[in-house]
Amino acid sequence: HNAFVVLPHVEHNPSLTGKVKGLNTVLFRLGKQMKHKNSWIHGDPRKVVYPTDSHGQFCGQKNTPNAGGNTTCHRPSLFLLNPFCCHLFSFPLFSHLTLLLYHRSVTSLLSAKEVGIKIFEDYANSWYWILIGLVITMAVSLLFILLLRYTAGVLLWLVVFGVIAAVGYGIWHCYWEYSDLSGKSGANVTISDIGFHTDLSIYLQLSQTWLVFMILLSVIEVIIVIMLVFLRTRLRIAVALLKEGSKAISYIMSTLFYPIITFFLLAICIAYWAVTAVFLASSGYTFSQTNITKVCPGSQCMFAFYGGESVYHRYILVLHLCNLFVFLWLVNFTIALGQCTLAGAFASYYWALKKPNDIPACPLYSSFSRAIRYHTGSLAFGSLIVAVVQMVRIVLEYLDHKLKGSQNACARYLICCLKCCFWCLEHFIKFINRNAYIMIAIYGKNFCTSSKDAFFLLMRNVIRVAVLDKVTDFLLFLGKLLISGSVGILAFFFFTHKIPAIQEEVPSLNYYWVPLLTVIFGSYMIAHGFFNVYAMCVDTLFLCFCEDLERNDGSSSRPYYMSPGLHKILRKGEEGAKSCAAS
């Protein structure tokens, strides 16, 4: 983009006429690509759509000087670039190299265009079936969440025992490999003796490797069993909360479709950032005339600024960074608004003494209205903190990219440590903010007070937090993989003509993986949206459950708001703890 743009008059250079005609087809096809490149330089986002001449005037558009075409704008939709003229007379060797590079780039461009056309044809022929696959995913996700109300316990324990069985099989396999290699020559060499090798298969031929694996897996198995023995009561509470979450969603079904609102708001944020970035990027370098025509008669080489460089142009990078920061802030605010809205809806379910009769009408709309009217400042402040940390992480990534070729090991090590620290800090702040938004939705206090209350409440129930968080995350992740994987397998068999019953309905495709990957990715995103609502429901109910335990004692004057099933499990856990303490 820093090269001269040449618009020669071929008739002034007879020796070049044949060469230019030979490249005519190439230049015509390259014109559209060059139009897009220069559109970011000229300073007007409209140039992304319409071609211009070297003076920045639109070609072939109504009410413009070039509406009918002129000497520098012969065709209404073409921006010509001739690499022969200036380079041929000044630097002949470089001109041939330039032609070679242009030929290769144009060839790859045409190949990419053919592939793009085929992909577009595949989408045009299979969009109907892609839509059916996504609808199936939505129905299965909804059904899975509703079934968790009745099968959460069975599913959770199947997962737990499945993990135990898988680790146990790993221990047995490592022992079998270790005993098999122990009698072979050369397998008793230690890992430290052979040193480091990029071929990892070498280590698998050593008996010591399998011994290390076996010891590690045995330690993991013992830890899992010990945790199950001591945390069996907590696991029952987690199962009860998962069931309670499914019950709450069944009463407030509108919450499952709130991710559509979040997606719409995020799309607005992305569009705002993209449009602003285009205006900033297109306000940079533009063209003005030079004296290069003396070197190459008949050409018009343009490269400079319209009106000269100003202070504004020197700070375009700073403005890009400000635009990026605003984008991060808006995205985090949108996510915070969704979390606070869902938390308010599910909290209204939990704090209803007689469910579902005491649940207020339209709880999702009421919660959204409260969040917009009363909690905008708190949500903006919490999202601001996350945006600042994310901006620092982006700067660190940029510095790490610049220091990759550096020989300063200390600087690279420092950047790596900072990246790790800020990654941990971002996830910790997101965790605190998520629970702070729940407390904001329940009590309506400001962000700092809610963050403090949520933090100390979680610390007083740290074991429950650890168990519930990991169990819920793993179960929901398993559900996402189960749904997207099942729909993906079904789509694979369909698009590869493996289902005889509906083989005639399969559309003709150039690449079957185009609709297949689209269905898999779309299915995972849809399942992710549904299960994010479920995770927010469980987190809200958990904080309400902890608050309920501290504020009430189950008496007639201060009754528990939790469900009878959850109360029954809690009472069993307290009685078991008291009996253990007495013994």
Side-chain angles (χ1 to χ4, degrees):
H1 63 279
N2 290 327
F4 287 104
V5 178
V6 184
L7 296 173
H9 297 287
V10 179
E11 60 271 15
H12 294 293
N13 299 280
S15 61
L16 298 178
T17 304
K19 296 181 179 180
V20 173
K21 289 183 179 179
L23 281 180
N24 224 4
T25 305
V26 174
L27 292 176
F28 280 136
R29 294 179 178 177
L30 186 63
K32 188 174 181 181
Q33 182 192 28
M34 296 308 300
K35 174 194 71 175
H36 287 290
K37 289 183 178 180
N38 287 282
S39 62
W40 296 90
I41 301 173
H42 279 242
D44 190 340
R46 291 179 299 171
K47 294 182 177 66
V48 176
V49 182
Y50 305 113
T52 61
D53 64 3
S54 298
H55 297 280
Q57 296 173 343
F58 294 107
C59 293
Q61 303 301 318
K62 294 181 179 179
N63 301 322
T64 63
N66 297 325
N70 60 18
T71 57
T72 59
C73 192
H74 300 284
R75 293 172 176 82
S77 60
L78 179 64
F79 187 84
L80 285 175
L81 174 65
N82 193 333
F84 281 109
C85 190
C86 292
H87 292 156
L88 186 63
F89 284 98
S90 306
F91 308 102
L93 179 61
F94 183 72
S95 68
H96 292 290
L97 178 60
T98 304
L99 284 176
L100 179 62
L101 294 176
Y102 271 118
H103 176 71
R104 291 180 177 176
S105 62
V106 171
T107 303
S108 61
L109 175 65
L110 296 179
S111 301
K113 183 178 179 181
E114 293 178 359
V115 174
I117 292 175
K118 291 182 179 180
I119 292 176
F120 180 79
E121 291 177 351
D122 290 341
Y123 277 122
N125 294 331
S126 62
W127 68 268
Y128 179 77
W129 295 103
I130 293 175
L131 186 62
I132 291 177
L134 298 181
V135 171
I136 293 175
T137 302
M138 186 178 297
V140 173
S141 300
L142 180 62
L143 180 64
F144 188 85
I145 290 178
L146 295 179
L147 288 178
L148 278 176
R149 177 178 178 180
Y150 307 101
T151 62
V154 176
L155 184 59
L156 174 63
W157 288 111
L158 283 177
V159 169
V160 170
F161 287 113
V163 171
I164 294 176
V167 176
Y169 170 78
I171 295 173
W172 175 84
H173 182 78
C174 291
Y175 174 77
W176 182 81
E177 292 284 352
Y178 171 75
S179 60
D180 185 61
L181 292 173
S182 296
K184 294 183 179 179
S185 60
N188 295 323
V189 179
T190 62
I191 298 176
S192 59
D193 291 337
I194 64 173
F196 176 77
H197 288 274
T198 56
D199 187 6
L200 300 181
S201 62
I202 296 177
Y203 298 102
L204 299 180
Q205 301 173 8
L206 304 178
S207 60
Q208 189 184 55
T209 303
W210 294 103
L211 178 62
V212 172
F213 286 162
M214 183 177 64
I215 294 174
L216 290 177
L217 291 177
S218 300
V219 172
I220 294 174
E221 186 84 336
V222 171
I223 292 175
I224 293 176
V225 172
I226 292 175
M227 289 178 62
L228 288 176
V229 171
F230 287 95
L231 300 178
R232 58 187 183 277
T233 304
R234 310 299 182 190
L235 289 175
R236 284 201 292 267
I237 296 175
V239 172
L241 280 174
L242 290 172
K243 292 181 179 178
E244 196 70 15
S246 298
K247 191 184 298 183
I249 291 177
S250 66
Y251 289 130
I252 316 176
M253 291 290 293
S254 57
T255 55
L256 287 175
F257 301 96
Y258 185 84
I260 298 177
I261 300 177
T262 302
F263 175 79
F264 176 73
L265 295 177
L266 288 176
I268 294 177
C269 296
I270 295 173
Y272 168 78
W273 167 79
V275 170
T276 306
V278 169
F279 272 91
L280 287 175
S282 61
S283 60
Y285 294 101
T286 53
F287 294 98
S288 67
Q289 293 190 6
T290 68
N291 294 326
I292 198 66
T293 54
K294 296 180 180 179
V295 181
C296 180
S299 66
Q300 296 178 0
C301 300
M302 312 297 171
F303 183 77
F305 281 91
Y306 282 134
E309 186 178 9
S310 64
V311 177
Y312 170 78
H313 294 99
R314 299 191 191 104
Y315 290 95
I316 287 181
L317 178 60
V318 177
L319 295 175
H320 272 296
L321 294 177
C322 293
N323 183 39
L324 178 61
F325 178 76
V326 172
F327 169 71
L328 296 175
W329 193 358
L330 290 176
V331 167
N332 285 291
F333 177 81
T334 302
I335 296 173
L337 177 62
Q339 292 175 346
C340 188
T341 300
L342 293 173
F346 294 127
S348 64
Y349 162 82
Y350 185 93
W351 296 113
L353 186 59
K354 296 181 180 179
K355 304 174 179 62
N357 299 327
D358 291 344
I359 300 177
C362 303
L364 183 65
Y365 175 76
S366 301
S367 178
F368 181 80
S369 302
R370 288 195 302 269
I372 291 293
R373 184 175 181 181
Y374 299 110
H375 309 316
T376 304
S378 298
L379 300 180
F381 183 69
S383 56
L384 173 63
I385 298 174
V386 179
V388 170
V389 177
Q390 290 175 339
M391 197 68 188
V392 174
R393 288 193 61 200
I394 292 175
V395 173
L396 291 175
E397 289 290 344
Y398 174 78
L399 294 177
D400 183 53
H401 177 73
K402 289 295 183 181
L403 292 174
K404 277 187 176 179
S406 174
Q407 301 297 325
N408 192 340
C410 182
R412 295 200 306 269
Y413 175 76
L414 180 60
I415 292 294
C416 183
C417 292
L418 289 175
K419 286 172 57 179
C420 180
C421 292
F422 276 93
W423 182 88
C424 297
L425 179 61
E426 179 185 352
H427 284 73
F428 176 75
I429 292 177
K430 285 183 176 180
F431 175 75
I432 294 297
N433 283 8
R434 182 183 179 94
N435 292 279
Y437 299 146
I438 296 174
M439 300 299 285
I440 289 173
I442 296 174
Y443 295 108
K445 298 180 181 180
N446 60 52
F447 177 80
C448 295
T449 304
S450 300
S451 299
K452 182 189 68 174
D453 294 342
F455 178 77
F456 287 109
L457 180 62
L458 293 173
M459 289 300 100
R460 291 193 295 269
N461 299 271
V462 62
I463 298 180
R464 289 172 180 160
V465 172
V467 174
L468 179 67
D469 187 60
K470 297 306 176 184
V471 168
T472 305
D473 288 347
F474 186 76
L475 182 60
L476 298 184
F477 178 71
L478 181 67
K480 295 174 191 178
L481 291 183
L482 178 64
I483 293 173
S484 59
S486 301
V487 175
I489 292 173
L490 180 64
F492 173 78
F493 284 116
F494 175 78
F495 289 117
T496 54
H497 302 268
K498 299 291 180 60
I499 305 178
I502 54 176
Q503 191 171 4
E504 297 180 356
E505 302 293 334
V506 180
S508 178
L509 301 173
N510 297 300
Y511 310 109
Y512 75 89
W513 50 264
V514 171
L516 176 62
L517 293 180
T518 305
V519 169
I520 293 176
F521 178 76
S523 299
Y524 185 83
M525 295 306 297
I526 291 175
H528 180 72
F530 275 100
F531 283 101
N532 269 358
V533 174
Y534 191 88
M536 195 67 201
C537 177
V538 173
D539 290 345
T540 303
L541 295 180
F542 174 72
L543 276 187
C544 294
F545 166 74
C546 295
E547 278 285 294
D548 197 8
L549 288 179
E550 295 187 356
R551 291 171 51 184
N552 304 303
D553 56 6
S555 62
S556 57
S557 59
R558 291 191 299 168
Y560 286 128
Y561 285 83
M562 66 187 70
S563 65
L566 190 60
H567 184 204
K568 182 179 179 181
I569 292 176
L570 174 65
R571 188 172 57 209
K572 286 182 178 180
E574 290 178 345
E575 292 175 355
K578 291 179 180 179
S579 62
C580 290
S583 61

